[in-house]
Amino acid sequence: MAVKQADVVLVGGGVMSATLGVMLTQLDPSINIVMLERLDHVAHESTDGWNNAGTGHAGYCELNYTPETEDGDVAIDRALQINAQFEVSLQLWSHLVEQGVLPEPSKFINRTPHQSFVWGEKDVAFLKRRYERLSAHHLFRDMEYTESPRDLEEWMPLVVKGRDPMQRVAATRIRHGSDVDFGSLTRNMVAWLQSQPNFELMLSCPVHYIDQRDNGRWKLRVKNQHTGELTKLETGFVFLGAGGGALPLLQKSGIDEARGYGGFPVSGQWLVCRKTDVVEQHHAKVYGKAPIGAPPMSVPHLDTRIINGEPALLFGPFAGFTTRFLKQGSVFDLFGSVRSTNLKPMLSVSKSNMDLTRYLIGEVFQSHSDRVASLRNFFPEAEEGSWQLRNAGQRVQIIKQAEGGGGKLEFGTEIVAAKDGTLAALLGASPGASTAANAMISVIERCFPGKIRTAEWQERMKLMVPSYGQSLVNDEALLTKVRERTLATLKLN
């Protein structure tokens, strides 16, 4: 059997692999890239529009990115970091639209105000303090705050209609927030890659074997699920961008850096409304506070969504417990990921997170009426018959070894790279797809250090991301310049 040679192998046909493939091709069109996808089409797991919130996560409305401190203040550092990272994605997408790589922006991104909504004296005080802290920074200077019934009726009519007028409520808003159809975005990027001479997409081809040769190059073996054909590949660099499937593949790679990592899978569901007379009354992403004990990705929100060009309202997500790492995975995924190197951290996390486990199992057994009752916190006049339940994607939260040999459950995203730079994997979930461009720049810097330092790659990177190498958190003039361009190019202003 002949061995297929490649400079880069991308495992997974989601937004992360597509972003890395496009960036590498823009940096050097001669790089030979093979993308492997286990399903028969790309962007159908976590990247699919129905499998994620579609929020352009910028920290505008997500209250879990700004936790309250012990002294009653609000910590904003993570929100600043995530906002700056999303601005990197907006810059890349703007460049790709200008280059004709991506289509007219409304095909994958649409202006959708990002709003936070709370009720009760304690949470109103928290939101006001959050607004004061964030709006003082140039990244969030456009944030508005209100407790006015008239403003709220304009901002979120479904949310305030039928609500107790004596209930204390408050909201913040950023008008230039966005709804992103990451499925459409990714499919367009992959379509462009397929038009390039040095790119090959192999569908229905899960990776069965991965190992590093003595010369540092990687051997992979894949099997076409339809034809049974086996293909051997050899490459100098492997990126594992397979969502929940990345951890098992990272473990199979045997790199030292994978030791101690485990996964905690979480499922999700949405309530979906497609009734035109309801959908047309709401144009925003309205985020609230997560219930006590809920994981961060379960922050409730009532969202305007435009998926494959079709508008809808989504509410949720309702989290649940699962042992699958992928929506179309196996119930044995979690058990198969247990190794001697991660057993202690995983047992430690299981023991210290019993409240979370009980919460997730409780979510699974909710009735439709229970879920609609949660919805009515955001939409008091919601009619049960207008909403249907739909499964969202799977998320695998990171379990990593802590000091003392125990475990720690992480709710962010993390890049794990081999010390020789020949393999990298992206683990975790939130904020995920929104920060794909920034994450893939990190992969390039860690795994192609010699090339990214060349004048040619530096120049091309700055064409894609004009703020590259500079800080949007610290440089207000730079932020103003790049944001004016991206909001205009992507029609978000």
Side-chain angles (χ1 to χ4, degrees):
M1 182 189 303
V3 179
K4 188 187 296 287
Q5 300 289 330
D7 298 316
V8 171
V9 170
L10 306 172
V11 182
V15 65
M16 295 294 177
S17 292
T19 300
L20 182 58
V22 166
M23 295 185 83
L24 287 174
T25 302
Q26 294 266 318
L27 289 168
D28 182 355
S30 71
I31 291 178
N32 184 276
I33 299 174
V34 174
M35 176 182 282
L36 304 174
E37 169 54 50
R38 64 191 291 271
L39 301 179
D40 58 7
H41 47 292
V42 299
H44 199 60
E45 272 281 352
S46 296
T47 297
D48 183 75
W50 290 108
N51 290 340
N52 59 71
T55 302
H57 285 296
Y60 292 142
C61 56
E62 307 92 332
L63 302 180
N64 56 304
Y65 295 154
T66 50
E68 193 169 5
T69 60
E70 290 183 3
D71 62 0
D73 201 355
V74 176
I76 66 170
D77 287 351
R78 188 162 187 240
L80 298 180
Q81 178 190 39
I82 288 171
N83 188 279
Q85 291 174 353
F86 185 59
E87 291 287 345
V88 172
S89 290
L90 292 176
Q91 290 175 70
L92 175 63
W93 300 340
S94 295
H95 172 76
L96 297 180
V97 167
E98 292 166 346
Q99 296 296 309
V101 175
L102 289 175
E104 199 277 328
S106 67
K107 300 291 185 181
F108 66 92
I109 188 169
N110 287 275
R111 179 178 179 268
T112 309
H114 283 197
Q115 303 174 359
S116 301
F117 177 75
V118 298
W119 56 88
E121 297 291 337
K122 184 177 183 296
D123 287 344
V124 168
F126 162 77
L127 188 66
K128 188 171 185 179
R129 181 60 180 148
R130 179 183 188 268
Y131 161 74
E132 291 168 348
R133 295 280 279 117
L134 285 174
S135 62
H137 195 281
H138 57 268
L139 285 168
F140 291 83
R141 63 191 171 204
D142 298 326
M143 180 175 280
E144 304 169 76
Y145 174 88
T146 190
E147 297 179 33
S148 162
R150 181 176 296 179
D151 288 343
L152 290 168
E153 188 174 352
E154 176 199 339
W155 293 10
M156 49 184 79
L158 292 184
V159 175
V160 298
K161 187 178 180 182
R163 188 171 296 276
D164 180 358
M166 300 305 293
Q167 186 183 50
R168 181 96 186 273
V169 296
T172 58
R173 175 174 74 170
I174 291 278
R175 296 173 189 246
H176 57 74
S178 59
D179 174 68
V180 186
D181 183 346
F182 288 106
S184 294
L185 170 71
T186 301
R187 285 186 284 274
N188 277 289
M189 286 195 289
V190 173
W192 178 80
L193 284 168
Q194 288 183 277
S195 72
Q196 305 304 299
N198 294 317
F199 177 84
E200 181 179 358
L201 172 64
M202 297 178 65
L203 297 173
S204 303
C205 287
V207 175
H208 290 280
Y209 175 84
I210 179 170
D211 189 49
Q212 191 171 28
R213 298 183 60 184
D214 292 340
N215 64 3
R217 290 177 66 79
W218 287 90
K219 297 181 296 180
L220 296 94
R221 186 163 63 241
V222 302
K223 183 177 182 179
N224 187 294
Q225 293 179 301
H226 296 309
T227 65
E229 181 183 0
L230 286 171
T231 302
K232 292 182 179 179
L233 296 101
E234 186 175 301
T235 182
F237 175 71
V238 178
F239 175 67
L240 304 177
L247 176 61
L249 289 169
L250 179 63
Q251 293 174 326
K252 284 182 180 180
S253 74
I255 64 171
D256 291 339
E257 291 76 9
R259 294 174 62 87
Y261 279 94
F264 185 92
V266 178
S267 62
Q269 294 175 308
W270 304 108
L271 285 178
V272 181
C273 176
R274 290 190 176 92
K275 290 187 67 174
T276 303
D277 60 329
V278 177
V279 173
E280 289 180 347
Q281 293 181 65
H282 185 82
H283 184 66
K285 289 180 177 290
V286 180
Y287 274 60
K289 292 194 78 173
I292 295 173
M297 81 292 300
S298 294
V299 173
H301 42 98
L302 180 63
D303 286 6
T304 294
R305 296 301 313 275
I306 301 174
I307 301 174
N308 299 323
E310 295 294 324
L313 288 188
L314 269 67
F315 177 77
F318 298 95
F321 182 74
T322 177
T323 57
R324 299 177 191 268
F325 279 2
L326 292 164
K327 192 173 182 178
Q328 300 188 43
S330 166
V331 294
F332 299 108
D333 287 342
L334 174 60
F335 311 109
S337 72
V338 178
R339 300 285 191 276
S340 60
T341 56
N342 66 12
L343 179 59
K344 189 173 180 180
M346 291 181 73
L347 289 175
S348 173
V349 164
S350 298
K351 183 178 179 181
S352 60
N353 286 273
M354 288 304 296
D355 287 346
L356 173 59
T357 303
R358 280 192 290 268
Y359 171 83
L360 296 175
I361 293 173
E363 288 277 281
V364 171
F365 290 103
Q366 281 196 98
S367 67
H368 187 63
S369 295
D370 291 334
R371 295 187 176 97
V372 173
S374 297
L375 165 63
R376 287 183 179 134
N377 287 321
F378 285 79
F379 180 7
E381 297 187 351
E383 297 178 358
E384 192 171 313
S386 299
W387 296 80
Q388 287 77 46
L389 192 65
R390 178 162 183 150
N391 289 332
Q394 300 290 108
R395 298 290 183 267
V396 179
Q397 308 307 316
I398 302 167
I399 294 175
K400 59 192 299 187
Q401 200 161 26
E403 291 184 17
K408 183 169 61 171
L409 186 61
E410 299 276 352
F411 289 105
T413 52
E414 186 166 336
I415 294 166
V416 180
K419 58 181 175 292
D420 63 3
T422 60
L423 182 143
L426 188 106
L427 304 179
S430 181
S434 296
T435 58
N438 186 80
M440 295 307 99
I441 287 174
S442 180
V443 169
I444 291 168
E445 290 176 336
R446 292 171 67 175
C447 300
F448 299 84
K451 290 186 176 181
I452 193 59
R453 286 196 290 265
T454 65
E456 184 178 19
W457 276 42
Q458 286 283 313
E459 181 181 353
R460 291 182 178 181
M461 184 65 83
K462 288 175 182 177
L463 281 175
M464 287 188 283
V465 180
S467 70
Y468 177 69
Q470 303 169 81
S471 172
L472 292 172
V473 175
N474 297 329
D475 193 331
E476 182 173 0
L478 177 64
L479 180 277
T480 299
K481 182 178 179 181
V482 300
R483 185 173 280 176
E484 284 180 356
R485 175 205 174 209
T486 58
L487 294 185
T489 303
L490 298 175
K491 302 179 181 178
L492 299 176
N493 52 11

